[in-house]
Amino acid sequence: MSQDRRYSFEFFPTKTDAGHEKLIATARQLASYNPDFFSCTYGAGGSTRDRTMNTVLQLESEVKIPAAPHLSCVGDSKDDLRSLLTQYKAAGIKRIVALRGDLPSGMGMASGELRHANELVSFIREETGDHFHVEVAAYPEMHPQARNFEDDLRNFVRKANAGANSAITQYFFNADSYFYFVERVRKLGVDIPVVPGIMPITNYSKLARFSDACGAEIPRWIRKQLEAYGDDTSSIQSFGEEVITQMCERLLQGGAPGLHFYTLNQAEPSLAVWNNLKLPR
């Protein structure tokens, strides 16, 4: 890592050539800030497998920032996963974000030979030893499909004990939920770094839909203020930047080991927060 704390940015693979060109241009802009790595998501059931790989390889070879592909086990056989790991290893990729993955519409839970993220982490270790730095997901406000918070904590412990090196959280807007989660997993014997996932606020309606789907709570005072701005995009972005900057300041002051920005393939919202925080570059 380039400093005591690590900072990273996440992209999603695009469906069009124009979108991909914009993604790479955004990555080049972000690369000038010397992040520790870029990550690239993986569609439900591996639906973006080839686009994810192509994006990751281009980020690594052309943009010259270490790239971490997301890898999910839902819908993929062990042979599929083994092939991907072999290709990533041969390309010099050193970091992987290991996830259970989202289920495509109509796909049953039985699809794929591995059912849970801890099984995927174990599989990566069995196949590649310590070659990859393995990231796993953490949910400070509980995974939306978990039965309860205690069960979700146990799931996280299983992933960590299977061989994860560190974790990235789902985004949140309440720093206390992050600190409470870290306190709980430390008491359960997990000492890997847990890096907060940060979602800049730029569009209220999209954020509300996405947050409702993934279980990220928007505090009532934030929601009401964003609603009050209506279609005033400038005010929404200004307020969002202030709220996220203040939360990040508190996270870092409280000992968070870095920040992972969900860019949605845009540079400016994340960089506004980065610059406000005067992070190293």
Side-chain angles (χ1 to χ4, degrees):
M1 296 182 189
S2 59
Q3 58 270 324
D4 291 338
R5 286 181 162 128
R6 62 160 229 225
Y7 301 98
S8 50
F9 298 102
E10 183 167 300
F11 304 104
F12 62 86
T14 64
K15 297 180 180 180
T16 66
D17 291 342
H20 182 73
E21 289 177 8
K22 179 188 174 188
L23 186 161
I24 296 301
T26 297
R28 292 187 192 281
Q29 184 177 353
L30 294 172
S32 67
Y33 284 70
N34 294 314
D36 287 275
F37 67 94
F38 292 143
S39 70
C40 185
T41 63
Y42 193 72
S47 58
T48 66
R49 183 186 299 117
D50 292 341
R51 294 200 302 276
T52 295
M53 174 169 284
N54 292 339
T55 300
V56 164
L57 297 183
Q58 190 171 359
L59 291 171
E60 182 91 16
S61 64
E62 296 182 23
V63 185
K64 305 298 185 182
I65 294 293
H70 285 209
L71 188 64
S72 66
C73 55
V74 168
D76 276 343
S77 67
K78 288 184 178 180
D79 284 344
D80 292 333
L81 295 168
R82 188 177 292 115
S83 175
L84 285 169
L85 290 171
T86 299
Q87 292 177 74
Y88 283 134
K89 187 175 180 181
I93 301 298
K94 296 290 183 123
R95 187 186 297 264
I96 280 180
V97 182
L99 309 164
R100 185 200 74 179
D102 295 326
L103 298 166
S105 178
M107 179 182 283
M109 277 299 295
S111 180
E113 294 178 67
L114 305 177
R115 297 276 301 279
H116 304 287
N118 64 294
E119 296 173 358
L120 177 57
V121 174
S122 295
F123 181 78
I124 292 171
R125 290 292 177 229
E126 291 164 5
E127 294 293 323
T128 64
D130 292 329
H131 175 81
F132 292 107
H133 180 112
V134 178
E135 305 271 3
V136 292
Y139 295 87
E141 296 174 318
M142 195 177 84
H143 191 285
Q145 295 174 345
R147 287 179 292 185
N148 54 61
F149 193 60
E150 300 301 320
D151 194 49
D152 202 34
L153 287 171
R154 287 190 289 270
N155 287 338
F156 180 76
V157 171
R158 279 192 284 270
K159 291 188 287 190
N161 291 341
N165 299 102
S166 53
I168 299 169
T169 77
Q170 171 65 279
Y171 72 87
F172 54 87
F173 300 108
N174 181 350
D176 287 334
S177 66
Y178 168 81
F179 291 125
Y180 183 67
F181 177 86
V182 173
E183 178 184 336
R184 291 296 305 275
V185 299
R186 295 289 181 255
K187 289 179 179 178
L188 293 172
V190 174
D191 61 0
I192 64 173
V194 179
V195 175
I198 305 300
M199 177 70 81
I201 298 174
T202 59
N203 180 299
Y204 172 61
S205 59
K206 289 182 180 178
L207 180 68
R209 287 197 301 270
F210 194 44
S211 299
D212 290 342
C214 69
E217 180 70 24
I218 303 176
R220 188 173 186 272
W221 70 275
I222 295 178
R223 189 182 288 265
K224 290 299 181 183
Q225 184 62 70
L226 291 171
E227 288 174 352
Y229 288 131
D231 296 328
D232 184 351
T233 302
S234 178
S235 293
I236 289 172
Q237 293 177 351
S238 179
F239 173 73
E241 179 183 325
E242 180 182 0
V243 166
I244 297 302
T245 298
Q246 290 177 354
M247 183 182 73
C248 288
E249 286 176 339
R250 186 170 171 218
L251 290 168
L252 294 173
Q253 290 169 0
L259 300 170
H260 179 78
F261 291 92
Y262 295 109
T263 70
L264 301 181
N265 295 0
Q266 300 177 69
E268 286 75 13
S270 296
L271 291 183
V273 175
W274 181 297
N275 291 328
N276 290 342
L277 295 170
K278 296 180 172 58
L279 297 181
R281 56 180 295 193

